[in-house]
Amino acid sequence: MDEINALAGIDFKGWLLTLFIILFGIAAVITVVEKVSAALGKPVKWIKSNSKDHEMIMGVKESIDALAESNRQEDERIEALGAGMIELLGSEFDRKFSHFIAIGGIPENELSVFTATFKAYERLGGNHRRKEKYLYAIKRLDVLPVTTTVDLETEGGTDEEEQT
């Protein structure tokens, strides 16, 4: 019980205030020592360590910044390539569409290429006007049969190959 009475008599506010004053004093002394040693050109060991760590951190930060800039430029290039591909595919699609309208149908050997061109254009984010054209062509234009004849005879010879 005497111990409890002894603890009850301790001024905890005073102890805490004293502890904070001592900690702030130590921090102030460390700051003064760092500044004086830096001014003398002989930094203390912990200052050297902090300085090296700071230099490494700054080097890593610069590398990350350079990488981020490179990625930003690469993203811009990719966006430009995508925009260019949209224009090229759109132009090719329009050319084929106009040709199919002019001949009154879609040749069967060009149907899959026409569809693939449109699908690629659409996946890249092409506009809806060409989708309307595609649907019009697929639904309203006839698929024209294509027949191909191949002349296997060449000038001055036959279609049989010489074997030796």
Side-chain angles (χ1 to χ4, degrees):
M1 195 67 157
D2 291 332
E3 292 86 15
I4 295 175
N5 286 334
L7 285 175
I10 296 176
D11 182 19
F12 285 108
K13 288 182 184 178
W15 274 100
L16 285 175
L17 184 60
T18 304
L19 179 64
F20 283 120
I21 290 172
I22 291 171
L23 289 175
F24 285 125
I26 291 171
V29 168
I30 289 172
T31 303
V32 168
V33 168
E34 287 176 348
K35 292 190 186 247
V36 168
S37 65
L40 294 174
K42 303 268 182 181
V44 181
K45 186 176 183 179
W46 75 75
I47 296 173
K48 285 182 185 177
S49 175
N50 287 343
S51 177
K52 287 179 184 175
D53 289 347
H54 180 72
E55 288 174 16
M56 282 197 313
I57 289 171
M58 293 310 292
V60 169
K61 181 189 176 301
E62 289 172 5
S63 296
I64 290 172
D65 289 345
L67 185 59
E69 177 62 21
S70 173
N71 285 343
R72 186 189 62 75
Q73 290 174 352
E74 192 65 25
D75 289 347
E76 288 176 0
R77 285 187 199 110
I78 290 170
E79 285 180 29
L81 286 171
M85 281 306 291
I86 287 173
E87 292 303 316
L88 289 172
L89 288 169
S91 175
E92 178 65 13
F93 177 85
D94 287 343
R95 188 186 66 73
K96 285 185 176 293
F97 180 79
S98 296
H99 174 69
F100 298 156
I101 294 295
I103 64 172
I106 304 171
E108 66 183 345
N109 64 342
E110 293 187 35
L111 180 60
S112 63
V113 174
F114 182 64
T115 298
T117 301
F118 173 73
K119 294 294 182 184
Y121 174 80
E122 188 177 45
R123 279 194 306 270
L124 285 171
N127 66 34
H128 297 291
R129 182 72 179 128
R130 287 192 175 111
K131 184 173 186 173
E132 292 171 9
K133 288 180 174 181
Y134 174 75
L135 293 174
Y136 176 85
I138 294 299
K139 290 179 180 177
R140 301 229 173 131
L141 295 178
D142 294 328
V143 176
L144 306 174
V146 176
T147 56
T148 305
T149 57
V150 178
D151 183 13
L152 296 178
E153 291 189 19
T154 59
E155 193 174 298
T158 65
D159 61 338
E160 298 176 4
E161 293 183 20
E162 276 188 43
Q163 294 185 5
T164 53

